[in-house]
Amino acid sequence: MDDYQTCPKCKTTKYRNPAMVLMVNACGHALCESCVELLFAKGSGACPECKCPLRRNNFRVQLFEDPAVDKEVDIRKRILKEFNKRQEDFPTLREYNDYLEEVETIIFNLVFDIDPTNTNKMIDNYKKENKDITQKNRNRQSQEEMELEELLEAEKAQQCEKANLYVNAELEEKKQKHKAREKLIDELMFSDADAKSIVASHVQATSALAKEQPKAAAQPSSGVVKSSKFSSGIQIGLRGQHTNSFLPIPKQEDLPLYRYTAPVFDYDGPPPPPIEKLGKLNYFANIRAANITERAGGYTEAMSCCRALQEALGGLFYSPQLTHKTAVLATNPSTQDTDDMETT
Amino acid sequence: MLELKRALDAKGHCLLEMPSGTGKTTTLLSLIVAYMKAHPLDLTKLVYCSRTVPEIEKVMEELRKLMNYYEKEMGMEQNILGLALSSRKNLCIHPSVSKEREGKVVDGRCYSLTASFVRARHAADDATPICEFYEGFDAHGKEFPLPPGVYNLDDLKEYGQMKRWCPYFLARHTITHANIVVYSYHYLLDPKIAEVVSKEISKTSVVVFDEAHNIDNVCIDSMSVKITKRLLDKCSNSITILETTISNMKENDSKRLEKEYKRLVEGLRDATIARETDMALVNPVLPSEILEEAVPGTIRTAEHFVAFLKRVVEYIKTRLRVQHVVQESPAGFLRDIHTKVCIDRKPLRFTAERLASLIRTLEISDLTDFSPLVTVSHFATLVSTYTKGFTIIIEPFEDRAPTVSNPILYFSCLDSSIAIKPVFNRFQTVVITSGTLSPLDMYPKILDFHPVIMTSFTMTLARPCILPMIVSKGNDQVAMSSRYETREDTAVIRNYGNLLVEVAAAVPDGIVCFFTSYLYLETIVSSWYDQGIIDQLQRHKLLFIETQDAAETSLALINYIKACDNGRGAVLLSVARGKVSEGIDFDHHLGRAVLMFGIPYVYTQSRILRARLEYLRDQFQIRENDFLTFDAMRHAAQCLGRCMRGKTDYGIMVLADKRFSRADKRSKLPKWIQEHLKDTNCNLSTEECVQICKRWLRQMAQPFSREDQLGISLLTLEQLQSEEMQKKIQQRAQGVSF
């Protein structure tokens, strides 16, 4: 326990100088803050232990007891920024695991300075090959992280809700108790009835209230979504029932069978001639005949002609004073319909 | 018996409260054994779980009596094998290993003598020491099962000595085909041990948890992890050991590491082929679908894994360097560990598994040094597996000594149902029983199961053997209570003192007093000393005090018993929830009166408790106060039950607190105590209490023979078969079923 943190340069310990802060740089050797200021007054210099050239701005506060871990974490963070493929990017779990191991080896090599030239080459290669995936993944959270975030959010929300709920419930209960007591005293003071019967009825009323309360307390909590599964996949909650029984069969609702009814259009004008009769009535004389390519697509002159006639005749009888009300009535259901469409 | 039979018929779980000393163990054993004989296909095995070794021995004694009776009545050998199992420490017969006093050391040394690689090495080179008893067992013991009979721990040892077989492994091996197994809770509840020992027990077994009033705490303890600074320092040491062994091995024998690596790449689990002696390390509960996945690549090679462990340990170290208390959920912890040291959830989940595999590969035979690291690995696995029902609390110092920095990380399980759930799911009948289980309805809630039978039995007694009283005020009419606001009040303390002195003057032989905590006991005793109450007390009886030191307490107990035996009389001041309140019986003259000073609430400021209460409230709709009262009352009842250990026994029970007379507390006492607690005895002053005591003691002091009990609480065979009695039994049976 008494191995206090010591600066290797000036031998100050945390015990003697509680304000001492150890710093580490890329090489993983610690120095206290004042030594850093002294040695790196120029902004750069060599590490007093390994003679590594270092910059002063790269010094950070040492987080861990073992400076080597600080160094490793530092390297790891740097590497993982590049090597950020996810399991989704691999076809099999096995390949993903192989990839993970490769990353680990690279980090390991960097930390212990094994074969630096090759390792750096590997990193460069990887960078070149996987530029776009890296870029893409940087903006994307992994599934696991998202899961965690969600959990945290849910926890927070639940906590808030519950705190409110229980405080309110307790207050309410206190109030009610107080009220009941006052009522009893009032009755005893002013009523002419037998004191015993008043007390008895009071006792009854309070016990009835007490019975009700647990129900009330149970209700709000049932509103909170209770998951029946742990994140690990183990079931929780009242499991005895569910584990033994099968899933309930989805219930068939007894609705009348669907029947097609042709839509009725309200033209608000003289009915246009039906599409089949257009040829007979000689409407096609006035329009361009469809060419072969158009026919191949299923187009006929009748379509555009019918459309044009419908547009021409529709709304001819429209008069604003008369139909205003009906128009409003007519539009309302239609907006509702579209709403339904969106929700479904 | 009727209820138990119903539960067995229904193949469901049941919860029975039976007063202590009324033959609970015998009843359970005789019915279940009879049931086993009658329906050998429905019920194959009885697993009887008790708390301590002496209790296990007691059960074995009862079982032996029962078997002797069977033999006498049926006139032939019974084909039933009963067996007790305990730790290696209690069963080892190896001449040097068995001398070790600490359980862990015995386990470690045993492992170093019996692990399969050690034996393999021995085969190649005779100098490697092995355990001859295990060898003997391995060579012959497996083919010849234990002959039927009842074996307690000593019998097993004797048998082992005779045959030169290791009794521990013999017992473990025999579990699979024994009819009755008696062992401690942990073998079934602790997931780390249960997987090793109790894996092969068939589904058609009955599991009995005796003295199970604390079962929820046992469940919680088995899933919780506590990490201190020292533990982490030890971890760092063992990591360096691992590092050196790995580098050594790489130089000398890199084949083995490669083999392990290949196996991990293939994702093959070796637990299925693990040999029985190698299972000293087990992973805590993991859902099997996770375990079947391959170990993630990040921790596949040994060096990477060691670096990974180092990071985990260093990270926890930084977390321990806090100035104020931190409480967070596992999810928060996982996110933080990811941002700080880049550790994902998945490799963390495999930590325990991977460590076990590594240690096996490295052939490290001395496991005792690695237990801290194993603890940390369990923690890592648990924290990444469960995001609900657990909480992490980091305290920089203890509440009692806020100036001394002693950071501790508690990973505390809040849901007692997690650990016990496999037991309920697996076995067809689980019987939970104790002398004090009231209020019964709390247990199904907190353990999350559906009992088919839930009953509290009372005693049929020939005379009023117990005298429960609630003393709420002193002679000066000052209310007595251990409430926080009044506990420092000298008037209250004086009144408690006067009560004890007057009771001590009136009651013969031994008196046991229970306080709510050690702290409270100390303050009260010191002010009694100042007020001269101690002197008055010592005029009547000798005074003994329980302390936190186990050795001191057992010395006090021995002398207390001595003082009671020779008629001098003694008072024992002890603490509810302490050692005395849990395992020690004060039968007959050892405990003629029990005084309960105050209600033994738990220390409510503890953060772990707070977190648990909150969880119970959210998950099971149990209100904080309900649980606290439940917990306090079960401990109070446990203390009161100490003085009553049989039908011929008698004792006074004084509950000295105003709050006991409230309905919510009173109704939570066991039925057999409530039955005797009259309304007139619920609000007494000291003086009244002593008057009642005197009158009652005079009544109880009358000669009491066996004949008095006959026909009421004791039946002869003729009486039992008489028509009147049969009718009564019939009535009872129908009355319950409708």
Side-chain angles (χ1 to χ4, degrees):
Chain A
M1 287 299 287
D2 37 35
D3 49 348
Y4 289 97
Q5 290 187 323
T6 315
C7 171
K9 182 77 181 160
C10 60
K11 313 291 181 211
T12 324
T13 60
K14 190 90 181 166
Y15 180 71
R16 274 184 279 169
N17 177 14
M20 184 192 76
V21 177
L22 281 181
M23 315 276 276
V24 274
N25 206 325
C27 66
H29 294 120
L31 267 183
C32 78
E33 205 175 5
S34 50
C35 283
V36 168
E37 245 161 66
L38 209 70
L39 291 173
F40 294 84
K42 280 184 192 160
S44 68
C47 167
E49 275 182 54
C50 63
K51 310 290 176 217
C52 232
L54 299 173
R55 276 164 182 268
R56 191 186 164 176
N57 342 0
N58 289 356
F59 270 100
R60 282 162 296 100
V61 174
Q62 182 184 340
L63 206 59
F64 302 98
E65 228 166 71
D66 187 354
V69 174
D70 260 306
K71 181 184 168 190
E72 193 195 329
V73 169
D74 196 36
I75 293 172
R76 185 175 292 276
K77 277 187 181 156
R78 208 181 70 215
I79 293 292
L80 285 181
K81 244 185 214 163
E82 296 300 328
F83 290 75
N84 59 0
K85 280 195 193 174
R86 316 236 186 270
Q87 198 180 335
E88 300 95 79
D89 301 333
F90 293 91
T92 61
L93 181 68
R94 171 86 181 265
E95 275 171 53
Y96 176 60
N97 278 337
D98 286 343
Y99 160 79
L100 281 179
E101 198 192 324
E102 196 189 316
V103 175
E104 203 66 21
T105 322
I106 291 173
I107 294 169
F108 198 76
N109 284 349
L110 285 179
V111 172
F112 292 96
D113 275 337
I114 306 167
D115 201 7
T117 45
N118 260 342
T119 319
N120 281 327
K121 227 187 244 168
M122 265 163 79
I123 297 173
D124 287 340
N125 273 346
Y126 176 88
K127 269 188 196 168
K128 268 180 212 158
E129 281 168 22
N130 301 301
K131 220 175 191 173
D132 39 341
I133 295 184
T134 314
Q135 205 43 262
K136 205 170 72 193
N137 280 350
R138 233 173 246 177
N139 303 323
R140 199 169 51 156
Q141 271 185 320
S142 82
Q143 205 183 339
E144 233 169 65
E145 274 165 35
M146 261 162 23
E147 217 171 86
L148 275 185
E149 291 288 330
E150 239 166 66
L151 261 174
L152 281 175
E153 287 286 309
E155 249 167 47
K156 235 190 216 165
Q158 255 187 16
Q159 248 173 13
C160 257
E161 198 177 321
K162 266 186 197 137
N164 277 336
L165 215 135
Y166 282 100
V167 166
N168 285 345
E170 255 163 53
L171 271 181
E172 195 65 18
E173 201 178 315
K174 256 188 200 161
K175 246 189 223 164
Q176 253 172 9
K177 253 190 194 168
H178 191 70
K179 242 189 218 165
R181 190 175 297 158
E182 277 194 347
K183 200 178 140 207
L184 173 73
I185 291 172
D186 278 354
E187 266 182 52
L188 282 176
M189 267 163 73
F190 302 116
S191 145
D192 300 328
D194 184 21
K196 262 184 196 163
S197 68
I198 292 177
V199 171
S201 70
H202 172 76
V203 166
Q204 256 182 4
T206 46
S207 65
L209 259 181
K211 261 181 207 166
E212 259 171 44
Q213 243 152 26
K215 273 184 214 161
Q219 263 170 4
S221 49
S222 64
V224 176
V225 184
K226 245 180 118 179
S227 68
S228 63
K229 259 191 181 179
F230 265 139
S231 44
S232 64
I234 289 183
Q235 300 234 323
I236 53 162
L238 285 179
R239 304 130 204 190
Q241 294 176 322
H242 300 301
T243 46
N244 294 335
S245 62
F246 296 101
L247 275 177
I249 300 164
K251 219 170 130 190
Q252 287 266 329
E253 280 184 78
D254 295 327
L255 284 174
L257 285 175
Y258 177 73
R259 202 185 295 142
Y260 175 75
T261 45
V264 182
F265 298 107
D266 185 13
Y267 285 114
D268 231 3
I275 193 164
E276 309 88 52
K277 289 188 180 165
L278 289 179
K280 265 185 202 166
L281 295 169
N282 212 12
Y283 277 100
F284 295 155
N286 306 320
I287 56 167
R288 180 178 62 84
N291 61 22
I292 308 171
T293 44
E294 282 164 347
R295 272 178 208 282
Y299 170 80
T300 58
E301 308 91 340
M303 281 179 183
S304 58
C305 185
C306 180
R307 179 80 166 273
L309 282 170
Q310 278 172 3
E311 275 170 10
L313 296 177
L316 276 186
F317 298 160
Y318 176 75
S319 75
Q321 293 92 357
L322 206 143
T323 47
H324 183 68
K325 264 182 199 170
T326 51
V328 169
L329 281 177
T331 49
N332 262 349
S334 68
T335 51
Q336 254 175 20
D337 279 356
T338 53
D339 276 353
D340 282 352
M341 291 296 284
E342 272 161 22
T343 48
T344 52
Chain B
M1 253 194 187
L2 191 71
E3 308 284 353
L4 184 61
K5 165 93 167 40
R6 285 208 180 108
L8 289 177
D9 282 339
K11 301 201 162 107
H13 310 315
C14 71
L15 203 63
L16 303 173
E17 182 182 56
M18 295 189 246
S20 37
T22 50
K24 190 168 48 192
T25 316
T26 318
T27 317
L28 284 167
L29 285 176
S30 50
L31 179 71
I32 295 174
V33 169
Y35 200 95
M36 256 192 312
K37 282 182 161 298
H39 307 275
L41 292 177
D42 291 344
L43 192 65
T44 48
K45 195 190 287 266
L46 163 65
V47 180
Y48 199 100
C49 302
S50 204
R51 227 170 10 177
T52 57
V53 175
E55 273 165 4
I56 290 173
E57 293 284 339
K58 253 193 262 171
V59 176
M60 292 318 283
E61 251 351 276
E62 295 285 346
L63 185 63
R64 186 170 314 222
K65 269 188 218 156
L66 181 72
M67 284 302 137
N68 286 342
Y69 182 76
Y70 260 112
E71 252 163 56
K72 210 175 79 197
E73 293 293 310
M74 316 259 288
M76 54 173 175
E77 282 279 309
Q78 292 300 308
N79 192 24
I80 277 187
L81 177 61
L83 167 84
L85 177 65
S86 182
S87 63
R88 286 184 173 87
K89 183 182 153 236
N90 294 323
L91 277 174
C92 187
I93 50 170
H94 189 275
S96 70
V97 177
S98 57
K99 295 282 182 309
E100 298 288 352
R101 300 181 74 193
E102 217 174 305
K104 259 188 191 162
V105 180
V106 176
D107 286 352
R109 288 199 56 189
C110 179
Y111 178 79
S112 69
L113 290 176
T114 58
S116 57
F117 62 83
V118 174
R119 295 177 54 219
R121 213 181 289 162
H122 175 80
D125 157 31
D126 277 339
T128 320
I130 49 166
C131 174
E132 55 159 323
F133 296 99
Y134 180 73
E135 292 303 316
F137 166 71
D138 197 45
H140 311 291
K142 280 181 182 159
E143 288 101 73
F144 303 104
L146 225 58
V150 177
Y151 297 88
N152 65 15
L153 299 178
D154 286 335
D155 295 337
L156 278 172
K157 272 194 197 173
E158 217 167 86
Y159 189 80
Q161 281 286 11
M162 193 181 75
K163 292 264 189 180
R164 314 290 295 165
W165 291 351
C166 174
Y168 175 75
F169 284 103
L170 177 68
R172 275 214 359 215
H173 179 70
T174 317
I175 278 187
T176 45
H177 59 263
N179 304 93
I180 299 164
V181 181
V182 184
Y183 55 36
S184 136
Y185 289 165
H186 298 277
Y187 286 97
L188 213 52
L189 289 181
D190 195 333
K192 291 165 234 141
I193 313 173
E195 194 173 306
V196 187
V197 179
S198 314
K199 198 163 56 181
E200 281 164 16
I201 294 178
S202 70
K203 197 182 172 325
T204 51
S205 310
V206 180
V207 177
V208 179
F209 287 107
D210 198 0
E211 304 290 337
H213 45 271
N214 271 340
I215 196 163
D216 56 318
N217 292 338
V218 176
C219 292
I220 280 179
D221 285 346
S222 71
M223 297 286 280
S224 299
V225 182
K226 187 174 136 191
I227 295 176
T228 58
K229 188 92 194 359
R230 268 187 64 201
L231 191 106
L232 286 177
D233 288 338
K234 277 187 199 156
C235 279
S236 304
N237 287 342
S238 14
I239 288 177
T240 31
I241 296 177
L242 279 182
E243 264 177 345
T244 48
T245 2
I246 288 174
S247 60
N248 276 347
M249 190 172 262
K250 255 200 157 171
E251 276 165 23
N252 304 329
D253 181 15
S254 58
K255 236 186 255 161
R256 210 153 348 108
L257 279 175
E258 267 167 37
K259 218 167 103 193
E260 186 206 24
Y261 170 75
K262 282 214 181 93
R263 204 190 59 224
L264 292 176
V265 171
E266 294 301 323
L268 289 177
R269 276 196 76 213
D270 46 351
T272 42
I273 49 161
R275 284 135 297 192
E276 58 178 336
T277 46
D278 292 349
M279 293 193 279
L281 299 162
V282 202
N283 61 292
V285 272
L286 265 184
S288 49
E289 58 260 42
I290 292 178
L291 283 180
E292 265 142 32
E293 222 183 277
V295 171
T298 23
I299 53 172
R300 221 149 50 178
T301 60
E303 289 110 334
H304 295 172
F305 179 62
V306 171
F308 170 86
L309 277 181
K310 211 194 244 169
R311 265 182 293 146
V312 174
V313 171
E314 286 293 329
Y315 170 74
I316 299 173
K317 268 188 197 166
T318 61
R319 289 309 304 272
L320 282 186
R321 236 184 284 142
V322 285
Q323 296 301 315
H324 52 90
V325 180
V326 178
Q327 178 174 3
E328 66 181 357
S329 65
F333 183 86
L334 286 178
R335 195 175 57 172
D336 198 50
I337 200 170
H338 181 74
T339 51
K340 288 257 173 64
V341 288
C342 305
I343 288 178
D344 283 329
R345 186 171 174 186
K346 203 161 147 206
L348 212 54
R349 219 178 250 175
F350 282 88
T351 316
E353 173 97 1
R354 182 70 184 90
L355 180 67
S357 156
L358 181 67
I359 288 181
R360 216 173 301 131
T361 318
L362 294 182
E363 302 194 343
I364 293 167
S365 48
D366 192 7
L367 284 181
T368 27
D369 292 346
F370 283 95
S371 61
L373 197 56
V374 172
T375 315
V376 171
S377 76
H378 281 165
F379 164 69
T381 305
L382 284 172
V383 81
S384 51
T385 309
Y386 296 102
T387 50
K388 259 200 182 154
F390 287 85
T391 188
I392 295 167
I393 294 170
I394 305 169
E395 288 185 337
F397 40 73
E398 274 181 50
D399 279 331
R400 293 203 183 84
T403 48
V404 187
S405 160
N406 179 24
I408 300 174
L409 183 145
Y410 296 98
F411 178 64
S412 147
C413 173
L414 305 175
D415 189 348
S416 47
S417 64
I418 295 175
I420 203 167
K421 184 177 153 280
V423 178
F424 282 127
N425 279 354
R426 179 120 155 265
F427 300 111
Q428 66 178 30
T429 305
V430 176
V431 182
I432 292 181
T433 174
S434 173
T436 49
L437 274 180
S438 293
L440 284 171
D441 54 339
M442 191 63 100
Y443 285 90
K445 271 195 212 161
I446 55 177
L447 297 179
D448 194 18
F449 73 107
H450 296 280
V452 287
I453 302 284
M454 195 162 75
T455 327
S456 174
F457 296 104
T458 58
M459 282 191 278
T460 317
L461 294 168
R463 52 178 190 164
C465 277
I466 55 172
L467 177 67
M469 286 182 289
I470 297 171
V471 180
S472 58
K473 47 193 185 284
N475 284 339
D476 51 3
Q477 302 302 315
V478 173
M480 280 199 261
S481 174
S482 69
R483 278 174 62 194
Y484 187 72
E485 292 83 15
T486 57
R487 60 169 47 174
E488 304 290 319
D489 194 349
T490 42
V492 173
I493 297 177
R494 192 186 57 238
N495 271 331
Y496 274 150
N498 283 337
L499 174 68
L500 179 58
V501 170
E502 290 194 29
V503 169
V507 176
D509 296 325
I511 293 176
V512 190
C513 305
F514 289 100
F515 291 84
T516 52
S517 67
Y518 285 107
L519 203 72
Y520 191 52
L521 169 68
E522 274 163 32
T523 49
I524 283 213
V525 168
S526 66
S527 52
W528 278 356
Y529 187 79
D530 293 339
Q531 290 167 356
I533 286 170
I534 299 282
D535 290 334
Q536 288 177 41
L537 196 60
Q538 278 183 320
R539 238 174 274 153
H540 303 294
K541 287 183 197 304
L542 296 178
L543 189 65
F544 298 95
I545 296 177
E546 180 192 4
T547 57
Q548 267 157 319
D549 183 46
E552 232 172 53
T553 304
S554 51
L555 189 70
L557 261 175
I558 291 168
N559 286 320
Y560 171 82
I561 292 168
K562 211 187 271 172
C564 290
D565 280 343
N566 64 21
R568 174 71 174 80
V571 175
L572 179 67
L573 304 182
S574 58
V575 172
R577 293 162 199 283
K579 185 181 166 233
V580 170
S581 75
E582 277 301 322
I584 291 153
D585 295 346
F586 296 99
D587 45 0
H588 298 283
H589 63 282
L590 294 183
R592 278 294 173 234
V594 176
L595 279 81
M596 184 80 231
F597 292 118
I599 300 182
Y601 279 116
V602 261
Y603 175 61
T604 47
Q605 297 309 306
S606 141
R607 288 188 184 75
I608 298 170
L609 180 76
R610 300 252 110 212
R612 190 172 169 212
L613 287 176
E614 218 160 85
Y615 183 81
L616 286 175
R617 199 179 60 189
D618 293 349
Q619 291 293 319
F620 302 115
Q621 280 83 53
I622 297 170
R623 283 202 254 173
E624 278 182 32
N625 257 336
D626 284 354
F627 183 78
L628 286 176
T629 316
F630 153 75
D631 190 63
M633 290 315 287
R634 71 171 164 184
H635 278 105
Q638 189 59 26
C639 296
L640 295 179
R642 291 296 104 198
C643 73
M644 202 37 216
R645 309 315 287 183
K647 283 187 177 177
T648 51
D649 202 355
Y650 61 92
I652 298 166
M653 299 171 173
V654 178
L655 297 153
D657 195 309
K658 199 179 84 178
R659 293 170 291 171
F660 276 119
S661 55
R662 284 194 207 150
D664 65 324
K665 312 263 184 324
R666 234 179 93 189
S667 61
K668 287 193 167 74
L669 281 172
K671 218 167 150 195
W672 57 279
I673 296 181
Q674 262 187 63
E675 199 178 50
H676 290 88
L677 184 59
K678 293 184 208 92
D679 276 341
T680 46
N681 287 356
C682 279
N683 190 12
L684 302 175
S685 69
T686 306
E687 204 176 11
E688 289 164 330
C689 158
V690 172
Q691 286 307 319
I692 294 171
C693 280
K694 279 183 181 158
R695 210 175 317 134
W696 182 80
L697 282 169
R698 221 171 286 138
Q699 187 191 344
M700 296 312 286
Q702 301 310 313
F704 185 61
S705 62
R706 199 160 165 270
E707 280 69 42
D708 294 330
Q709 291 189 51
L710 278 181
I712 304 171
S713 60
L714 200 66
L715 298 172
T716 58
L717 191 61
E718 291 86 53
Q719 275 171 330
L720 188 67
Q721 282 164 345
S722 73
E723 214 166 293
E724 193 189 352
M725 206 58 205
Q726 288 293 333
K727 221 188 269 168
K728 226 177 181 176
I729 292 170
Q730 283 289 328
Q731 242 173 19
R732 271 291 266 292
Q734 269 156 17
V736 178
S737 64
F738 289 123

